[in-house]
Amino acid sequence: MTFPPRQEHPMSNVAPTTPEQLDVILDAARAAVPIWSATAPSERARVLIAVADALDADAERLVGIAQRETGLSEARLRGELTRTMVQLRLFADVIREGSYLDARIDEADDRFVLGTRPELRRVLTPVGVALNFSASNFPFAFSVAGGDSAAALAAGLPLVVKAHSGHPELSVATAEVVAAAARAAGAPDGVFALVVGQAAGTAALEDDRVDVASFTGSIRVGRLLADKAAARPRPILFFGELGSVNPAYVTAAALAERSDQLASGFVASVAGSAGQLCTKPGFLWIPGGADAAAFEDAVARHAAAAAEHRLLNPGIGAAYLARREAVLAAEGVRLVAEGSVRTDDDGQVWASPTIAAISAERLQPGDETLLDEVFGPFSLIVEYDDEAALADRLDALYEGNLTGTVHTGSGEQSPSLSALVARLQRKVGRVLFNGWPTGVAVTYAQQHGGPYPATTNDSSTSVGTAAITRFLRAVAFQDAPQDVLPPSLRDDNPWGIPQRREPAGVSQAWGRRADPGSSV
């Protein structure tokens, strides 16, 4: 288990990984594949729990480093570290239970309806070595020991993590905790390593010893990395979470019922963590008229009460200032809440929420100035006149997103509302009702993904237990002797996992027409 050496550096005391060091790391990871993938899920679960316990024990030190490097609040970071530990323990439960392997057994059947059926046994198996690019905005939950890392390790993949430049010292400190705990719990050498630097991350992605990669970050960088993964002589799956503006819609009935409550929740969702959340509502559609004016007054009042917050790093701060200025200068945009912006002596940008408004007619397809994401505490209210047109406007204006939100009145039903929800279902990964998208529960049923550019691969999720499927592939065994089968498919089932078994003879009914009165 390998870490970069500490070394004096203008921005940190963490040295970038050299090509020689990367070669050693990837060799060790490749060598660990057959060992870790064959390790019983119960043993892998023990490692995950040991890592969670070690992070918990070192929380005070880790949170202190994270505060200094990211500017995020102590409360936010402690909550995020708790989430990180919960993810590890949840994946431990998932792999001990075993249904994630989707083990299926079809018994040989010489009476099969389509002719003789061989014995077939199918299971999901680890794909090899995983590479995870850490995110800037979640220094625990989407970083070294975050959800992608937990899912890959749980699935049985040796893992190489590329540290984010926004929190390099925290990355090394977290990696040291992870590695020590994993080693003490019996994980083999090569199962976990950290690399530092853009060159090392790119080289690892292009190296044939890496079999799958995950990423959370900007559209520009994510697309660049996705293209590199696809351009390899042996292309690999690249699961990138990129950009999202998360449109939210308020019906006239909802606005009339609870205007101030909506304004308060909206501002809180935009302001949280200085708007540096991938699920921040970047657009809020409300019906125009007198109710809209009262709502915007309430928004201004709540925004004025929000404290300023430091953005993650000078680069993100500068990008926020540029995007904020560009949107506010666009034709038809007016201020609702100006918000504060300032740059301190260290080049760090501090900001409070800025909320602007525009009419729906002014928002046109292809207008990148207005439609592109503003990463930071900014959102645009869109005043509409025709609720029945919202579904078509959604299709015309927005690409794929992580979330779409609908606020409705009590018991409200209408054809236009049904149409909007149906369109959202095709455009986003999670459709919310009467809530706000920030705050993503780590659960079995969670979906955190969406069509491009929300993600580069919309076949899975990066939050929740289904995330483990990104690191697995299916293999079937036909008429294989018991002694060569993986434990998950053997009749004695040493791992004790669920096995779906199809006995011989049950297929006969498939060849008969159903009775006219049956429910088949």
Side-chain angles (χ1 to χ4, degrees):
M1 301 187 189
T2 311
F3 319 97
R6 296 182 184 274
Q7 173 179 301
E8 289 304 317
H9 186 272
M11 294 299 293
S12 73
N13 63 348
V14 178
T17 302
T18 67
E20 294 76 18
Q21 290 168 335
L22 179 62
D23 195 51
V24 171
I25 287 169
L26 295 179
D27 270 348
R30 175 54 61 187
V33 168
I35 304 169
W36 189 236
S37 63
T39 300
S42 60
E43 293 301 306
R44 294 204 301 269
R46 189 158 61 87
V47 171
L48 295 178
I49 291 170
V51 170
D53 291 347
L55 291 170
D56 195 6
D58 210 8
E60 199 73 29
R61 180 177 70 97
L62 295 174
V63 168
I65 298 171
Q67 279 186 271
R68 174 168 47 82
E69 285 195 306
T70 68
L72 295 170
S73 70
E74 179 180 358
R76 150 69 198 270
L77 290 166
R78 286 191 180 276
E80 188 185 329
L81 182 55
T82 297
R83 168 180 168 162
T84 302
M85 295 182 288
V86 166
Q87 288 175 153
L88 288 159
R89 292 172 179 139
L90 179 58
F91 276 112
D93 284 350
V94 166
I95 60 177
R96 276 188 301 224
E97 188 271 336
S99 60
Y100 79 99
L101 290 168
D102 193 22
R104 306 175 181 213
I105 299 173
D106 293 339
E107 295 180 358
D109 187 358
D110 59 7
R111 295 176 297 154
F112 186 63
V113 67
L114 297 177
T116 299
R117 180 180 73 191
E119 180 192 81
L120 289 166
R121 297 174 183 243
R122 180 186 187 273
V123 72
L124 300 181
T125 189
V127 301
V129 173
L131 172 65
N132 176 26
F133 290 83
S134 296
S136 64
N137 58 336
F138 282 89
F140 290 118
F142 275 85
S143 190
V144 173
D148 290 336
S149 296
L153 289 171
L157 278 70
L159 172 68
V160 178
V161 178
K162 191 268 179 185
H164 196 279
S165 58
H167 49 271
E169 293 181 41
L170 178 65
S171 298
V172 170
T174 305
E176 290 171 345
V177 172
V178 171
R183 186 183 299 111
D189 289 342
V191 160
F192 175 82
L194 181 76
V195 299
V196 174
Q198 179 179 325
T202 302
L205 180 64
E206 295 176 327
D207 195 289
D208 194 55
R209 288 166 288 188
V210 167
D211 300 287
V212 62
S214 56
F215 167 88
T216 301
S218 69
I219 293 176
R220 182 184 66 83
V221 176
R223 182 57 189 263
L224 183 151
L225 294 175
D227 290 347
K228 286 183 179 296
R232 289 175 28 157
R234 177 177 68 94
I236 61 171
L237 286 174
F238 180 88
F239 294 95
E241 181 195 317
L242 309 185
S244 188
V245 297
N246 309 298
Y249 298 85
V250 178
T251 66
L255 195 63
E257 277 184 12
R258 54 185 192 278
S259 179
D260 191 73
Q261 178 186 338
L262 287 167
S264 175
F266 170 57
V267 170
S269 194
V270 173
S273 299
Q276 299 167 117
L277 301 175
C278 51
T279 53
K280 180 203 72 179
F283 292 85
L284 181 67
W285 290 67
I286 65 171
D291 285 345
F295 173 78
E296 290 170 12
D297 287 344
V299 166
R301 185 175 69 253
H302 289 293
E308 69 172 4
H309 196 298
R310 200 197 95 184
L311 275 72
L312 288 163
N313 58 58
I316 286 175
Y320 171 70
L321 294 178
R323 285 289 295 127
R324 176 182 180 272
E325 181 180 356
V327 175
L328 293 180
E331 184 177 358
V333 173
R334 57 183 173 80
L335 271 171
V336 173
E338 185 172 6
S340 63
V341 289
R342 67 180 177 89
T343 304
D344 66 20
D345 293 340
D346 296 321
Q348 301 285 4
V349 172
W350 295 73
S352 65
T354 295
I355 311 294
I358 193 172
S359 68
E361 291 72 24
R362 292 279 191 178
L363 203 58
Q364 294 298 316
D367 188 341
E368 295 179 357
T369 297
L370 294 176
L371 293 174
D372 283 1
E373 181 181 12
V374 181
F375 191 71
F378 184 97
S379 189
L380 191 61
I381 295 171
V382 184
E383 295 183 7
Y384 67 86
D385 294 324
D386 183 5
E387 193 170 299
L390 287 179
D392 288 340
R393 295 287 282 160
L394 167 68
D395 267 348
L397 293 173
Y398 298 120
E399 299 179 287
N401 277 278
L402 295 172
T403 73
T405 300
V406 182
H407 287 275
T408 63
S410 299
E412 182 178 3
Q413 295 180 343
S414 70
S416 59
L417 180 60
S418 297
L420 176 61
V421 172
R423 300 289 179 88
L424 281 172
Q425 184 178 331
R426 297 205 300 264
K427 286 279 189 174
V428 309
R430 179 165 55 111
V431 183
L432 294 86
F433 294 86
N434 300 322
W436 297 101
T438 45
V440 185
V442 182
T443 65
Y444 284 84
Q446 186 58 268
Q447 176 62 27
H448 192 63
Y452 184 84
T455 67
T456 60
N457 188 320
D458 191 26
S459 64
S460 185
T461 175
S462 61
V463 178
T465 61
I468 199 169
T469 61
R470 294 174 297 164
F471 304 104
L472 300 167
R473 56 178 289 270
V475 176
F477 295 82
Q478 182 169 323
D479 295 327
Q482 288 284 311
D483 60 349
V484 302
L485 288 171
S488 53
L489 290 178
R490 282 166 33 190
D491 288 339
D492 61 351
N493 194 8
W495 287 355
I497 67 164
Q499 294 176 332
R500 185 197 183 282
R501 187 176 288 269
E502 185 74 15
V506 300
S507 70
Q508 299 306 306
W510 302 344
R512 295 193 297 269
R513 294 179 61 186
D515 294 335
S518 76
S519 60
V520 177

